[in-house]
Amino acid sequence: MLGEKACVFVTLRAPSEKITLDELVDYLMKKDIAKNKLPERLVVIPEMPLTPTRKIIKGRLRLPQP
């Protein structure tokens, strides 16, 4: 409604692992997540930006430019 879209940033346990947006959405639907909270975009990053106290620095999570 407001033009906002949900995006999920993930890190994988091993470089050989793969995940798709469809797999993630299917998993979340099985966990009864509300449809308006489902991500519309998946971004895989090597590691989460963390503060010294191990909290995620959300401001450093940026979408890759096309």
Side-chain angles (χ1 to χ4, degrees):
M1 181 182 296
L2 299 175
E4 295 179 351
K5 295 182 180 184
C7 177
V8 61
F9 287 84
V10 299
T11 58
L12 302 175
R13 291 182 184 163
S16 60
E17 290 183 333
K18 304 279 185 217
I19 188 168
T20 66
L21 181 60
D22 290 335
E23 291 171 338
L24 180 61
V25 168
D26 288 342
Y27 173 79
L28 294 172
M29 298 268 302
K30 289 177 187 172
K31 298 292 182 180
D32 294 324
I33 300 297
K35 288 186 179 182
N36 65 324
K37 294 184 179 183
L38 294 175
E40 297 179 37
R41 185 167 181 179
L42 168 71
V43 179
V44 178
I45 57 175
E47 63 182 34
M48 292 288 176
L50 301 174
T51 67
T53 58
R54 309 278 301 152
K55 293 184 180 181
I56 296 174
I57 304 170
K58 296 174 191 166
R60 288 198 189 156
L61 295 174
R62 301 277 182 228
L63 294 175
Q65 298 300 319

